[in-house]
Amino acid sequence: MNINATLIGQAIAFLIFIGFCMKYVWPPIIEALDERKKKIADGLAAAERGRHEQELAEKRAQQVIHEAKEQANEIISQAQRRGNEIVDESKDNARVEGDRILTSAKAEIAQEANRAKDELRSQVGAVAIAGAAKIISREIDDKAHTDLLDELVGQI
Amino acid sequence: MASESTITTSGYIKHHLQNLTYGQHEDGSWGFAESAKEATEMGFWAINVDTMLLSVVLGGLMMWFFRGVAKTISAGVPTGTQNFAEMIIEFINDTVRGSFSGGKNDLVAPLALTIFVWIFLMNLMDLVPVDFIPLAVAHGASALFGVDPHHVFFKVVPSTDPNATMGMALVVFGLMLFYSFKIKGTGGFLKELSFEPFGKWALPINLVLETVTLLAKPFSLGLRLFGNMYAGEMVFILIATMYSAGLVLGSVAGLLQVGWAIFHILIITLQAFIFMVLTIVYIDMAHQHH
């Protein structure tokens, strides 16, 4: 237990170890630790950002869904309105068409009737004359009576 | 104990407290001291081979371990060994950050790491049963070199050698002086020594007080560690002497040794920690302007 040169030897060994530790041990390890710290902080920040973005996206999605729903409703109501319009239109058309058909039918009927009257008119004379001729064939002068009848027919 | 008949209890204790000293004998030849008296007579220019050998081996082991980690370290997910090393480094870094306020200094943290781990390892040798390594060395030496095993000393715990602890304390003292001069300048440092704490009219008293304060730092640092470890080792040796005192005392000794060893785990860690923290504080004080 004497103080001797070991004192100096220990001091030198100590200095060498400190130097080695300072140059080759401490810097790489502490650098890696700092890098990891930074990585973790970055990761946390990124996660936070991601969460924020997700929230925004969700909000946006909801908005889009909402808009889509509104649009769909609008389209449906439009379609309904349009349908009603079409129905009304066709009803009107049908009525107009019916009226037209009715009118044309009436006109045709009137025409037909006129034609029948004309025909009838043209034939009534002959029939009446034939009848009359048969009834009064003996004493009636054809010519005088035809004039009379024609006059009669003209009055119809 | 190689041969109990020839070794007394006090002889056994003395044997265990003697370093393996290499130096110049009285007659001028160089060699290992074969007794405590011879070791003392060798004077200052002798060297405690056991202290040097074990401390350098332990320090080398420490550097090898940390260098290995430093080489392969990655910022990714740490595994096994790296985890362990990082735990120590983080602990040291936190302690330095908490105690050192002198701004950027690349030396303090590695210094603290070296001190803590090295002293811890040196103290840890205390937990090896007291006879294992000395007996192995003594018999190895007698087998290899034909020397008398009773005259081969081997002290296993380097920190029970005041040379080791004071050597480290002196380096810390040197660093304190270096930073005092560097940060405060020669004038600032001398002013601090002369004009505090009582102002410039009490200059001689101040000088004496401050010098004593300054010198007390390395002494308290080195002697505290030495004293604690020496006392702890002494208790282990005393317990070990009980093994030769019969079955009952021997069993008691076994229990005592286990108990003391468990308690000693606390002491060796604490002493390493105290040495480290005080070093940081002293170097921090060297950075402070008054």
Side-chain angles (χ1 to χ4, degrees):
Chain A
M1 222 176 53
N2 319 294
I3 292 294
N4 55 27
T6 315
L7 191 73
I8 299 168
Q10 278 287 323
I12 292 169
F14 186 37
L15 278 173
I16 290 170
F17 286 137
I18 295 171
F20 185 86
C21 188
M22 200 175 145
K23 207 162 164 59
Y24 299 110
V25 172
W26 191 264
I29 293 181
I30 212 74
E31 209 169 274
L33 289 184
D34 284 348
E35 199 187 322
R36 180 174 320 134
K37 244 174 241 166
K38 199 174 158 291
K39 254 190 187 171
I40 291 172
D42 285 353
L44 285 178
E48 190 58 41
R49 223 170 21 245
R51 196 152 46 234
H52 186 65
E53 262 165 28
Q54 197 203 353
E55 264 171 32
L56 281 185
E58 254 169 37
K59 231 178 260 174
R60 220 171 18 239
Q62 249 158 11
Q63 207 180 332
V64 168
I65 289 171
H66 187 69
E67 271 174 19
K69 267 185 191 160
E70 266 184 2
Q71 237 166 7
N73 281 341
E74 206 177 310
I75 289 169
I76 288 170
S77 63
Q78 228 169 24
Q80 268 169 349
R81 216 166 38 240
R82 183 81 192 115
N84 286 343
E85 266 173 28
I86 289 170
V87 169
D88 285 350
E89 229 168 79
S90 10
K91 268 185 195 162
D92 286 350
N93 282 351
R95 198 174 300 121
V96 171
E97 183 71 6
D99 285 352
R100 201 179 54 76
I101 292 169
L102 203 61
T103 323
S104 69
K106 272 181 183 163
E108 215 170 318
I109 289 167
Q111 215 177 345
E112 282 295 313
N114 281 345
R115 214 156 33 112
K117 263 184 213 161
D118 284 350
E119 214 170 306
L120 213 55
R121 211 175 280 152
S122 61
Q123 285 174 6
V124 152
V127 171
I129 289 166
K134 271 191 181 149
I135 298 162
I136 45 173
S137 51
R138 281 156 268 179
E139 66 214 82
I140 291 171
D141 175 19
D142 273 3
K143 194 166 161 12
H145 289 105
T146 301
D147 286 345
L148 200 72
L149 281 171
D150 275 348
E151 199 186 307
L152 195 71
V153 167
Q155 279 169 3
I156 294 171
Chain B
M1 284 182 278
S3 48
E4 275 171 52
S5 53
T6 57
I7 293 181
T8 60
T9 302
S10 74
Y12 174 75
I13 294 173
K14 276 181 191 158
H15 191 271
H16 268 284
L17 293 179
Q18 180 57 47
N19 281 110
L20 178 64
T21 311
Y22 184 85
Q24 197 174 21
H25 288 293
E26 284 279 86
D27 57 13
S29 64
W30 288 81
F32 289 106
E34 295 201 337
S35 67
K37 190 170 162 288
E38 273 186 41
T40 313
E41 281 165 1
M42 283 173 177
F44 184 76
W45 292 110
I47 194 146
N48 293 341
V49 178
D50 46 2
T51 302
M52 281 309 297
L53 186 73
L54 270 169
S55 59
V56 168
V57 164
L58 290 173
L61 222 82
M62 156 177 92
M63 288 304 155
W64 170 78
F65 171 74
F66 279 107
R67 180 63 191 151
V69 171
K71 257 196 253 174
T72 56
I73 195 164
S74 71
V77 180
T79 51
T81 322
Q82 191 186 330
N83 243 334
F84 178 65
E86 277 181 15
M87 195 180 75
I88 298 172
I89 299 260
E90 288 269 15
F91 166 67
I92 304 283
N93 206 20
D94 283 350
T95 311
V96 171
R97 216 173 280 161
S99 315
F100 185 76
S101 55
K104 189 173 157 43
N105 189 323
D106 289 334
L107 176 94
V108 177
L111 172 70
L113 174 72
T114 312
I115 289 175
F116 182 69
V117 181
W118 199 26
I119 292 184
F120 177 78
L121 286 176
M122 291 197 287
N123 293 352
L124 194 65
M125 297 308 289
D126 220 357
L127 295 182
V128 179
V130 286
D131 272 324
F132 275 22
I133 298 173
L135 271 188
V137 171
H139 285 283
S142 80
L144 282 175
F145 308 113
V147 294
D148 180 2
H150 295 153
H151 292 292
V152 176
F153 305 101
F154 202 83
K155 217 167 156 190
V156 185
V157 192
S159 47
T160 56
D161 183 351
N163 290 306
T165 61
M166 284 314 294
M168 295 178 79
L170 280 182
V171 170
V172 172
F173 185 59
L175 287 171
M176 278 162 61
L177 289 183
F178 171 73
Y179 281 113
S180 288
F181 280 117
K182 188 184 163 195
I183 304 287
K184 300 167 188 166
T186 311
F189 186 44
L190 288 179
K191 213 156 83 187
E192 191 183 301
L193 287 181
S194 343
F195 295 152
E196 283 174 24
F198 295 128
K200 60 180 171 178
W201 299 114
L203 192 141
I205 301 173
N206 290 339
L207 206 57
V208 169
L209 279 178
E210 286 290 318
T211 310
V212 169
T213 310
L214 190 69
L215 292 179
K217 284 172 185 170
F219 274 101
S220 68
L221 202 57
L223 292 180
R224 176 185 302 107
L225 178 61
F226 162 69
N228 273 286
M229 286 306 114
Y230 191 78
E233 177 75 350
M234 187 67 117
V235 172
F236 272 122
I237 294 169
L238 288 176
I239 291 171
T241 59
M242 288 168 71
Y243 283 119
S244 56
L247 190 64
V248 179
L249 270 181
S251 331
V252 173
L255 276 178
L256 279 176
Q257 190 180 346
V258 170
W260 182 241
I262 291 170
F263 180 60
H264 218 58
I265 295 173
L266 176 71
I267 294 179
I268 60 177
T269 319
L270 199 63
Q271 286 306 321
F273 182 69
I274 288 172
F275 200 110
M276 175 186 83
V277 169
L278 282 178
T279 304
I280 299 170
V281 169
Y282 289 159
I283 291 186
D284 180 49
M285 282 163 81
H287 280 69
Q288 302 300 323
H289 286 278
H290 287 282

